[in-house]
């Protein structure tokens, strides 16, 4: 699973998304930034909340499939007509709410003050 990148804003105004643990040397001013300065447990916390959100989406998709698939296979193929309905419900009901909460988590992500090396 992709880890959320850390956005470094250089003092000269340059910005760059860097993976945790990597360093970046600004092309403009030559300052060197090291994301390893971020405490590992704080980054882990961020990872956990991102993972929880992704898991929620997976579980919701899995539950709908677990309900629909046996109906189609064992009860009646006409239940397949419910699939588009379930997808609409997913797109209209679940996704927007999920995205909103995901964005809120992303916004409340901690900001760290790094020091150029
Ligand atoms: Zn710079």
């Amino acid at each position: 699973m992709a880890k959320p990148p850390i956005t470094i804003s250089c003092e000269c105004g340059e910005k760059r998304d860097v993976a945790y643990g990597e360093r970046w040397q600004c092309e403009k001013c030559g300052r060197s930034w090291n994301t390893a300065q971020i405490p590992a447990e704080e980054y882990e916390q961020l990872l956990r909340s991102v993972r929880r959100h992704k898991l929620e989406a997976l579980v919701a998709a899995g539950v709908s499939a677990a309900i629909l698939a046996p109906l189609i296979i064992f009860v009646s193929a006409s239940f397949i007509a419910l699939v588009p309905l379930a997808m609409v419900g997913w797109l209209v009901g679940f996704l927007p709410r999920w995205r909103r909460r995901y964005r809120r988590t992303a916004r409340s992500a901690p900001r760290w003050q790094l020091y150029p090396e």
Side-chain angles (χ1 to χ4, degrees):
M1 209 179 278
K3 292 185 173 184
I6 292 154
T7 305
I8 297 179
S9 305
C10 184
E11 282 164 22
C12 72
E14 279 286 287
K15 277 189 183 180
R16 176 64 56 88
D17 283 342
V18 184
Y20 179 68
E22 275 180 11
R23 59 182 67 233
W24 168 59
Q25 186 168 23
C26 178
E27 290 84 0
K28 257 197 192 157
C29 65
R31 280 189 187 88
S32 183
W33 304 92
N34 188 356
T35 56
Q37 287 176 0
I38 295 167
E41 64 266 28
E42 285 180 28
Y43 184 69
E44 270 303 313
Q45 225 163 33
L46 172 68
L47 277 188
R48 264 200 300 276
S49 58
V50 167
R51 237 181 260 141
R52 204 174 41 233
H53 279 280
K54 292 195 171 153
L55 199 70
E56 265 176 31
L58 278 179
V59 167
V63 166
S64 345
I67 293 170
L68 273 176
L71 286 178
I72 294 164
I73 296 166
F74 299 114
V75 183
S76 161
S78 59
F79 275 110
I80 216 159
L82 287 178
V83 171
L85 217 68
M87 285 172 104
V88 168
W90 170 265
L91 284 174
V92 176
F94 180 79
L95 266 191
R97 230 168 297 165
W98 181 78
R99 277 210 204 96
R100 245 195 322 272
R101 284 197 303 123
Y102 189 85
R103 268 201 297 271
R104 203 177 308 143
T105 305
R107 259 204 310 274
S108 67
R111 292 175 174 278
W112 295 285
Q113 183 73 50
L114 299 183
Y115 301 96
E117 297 189 313

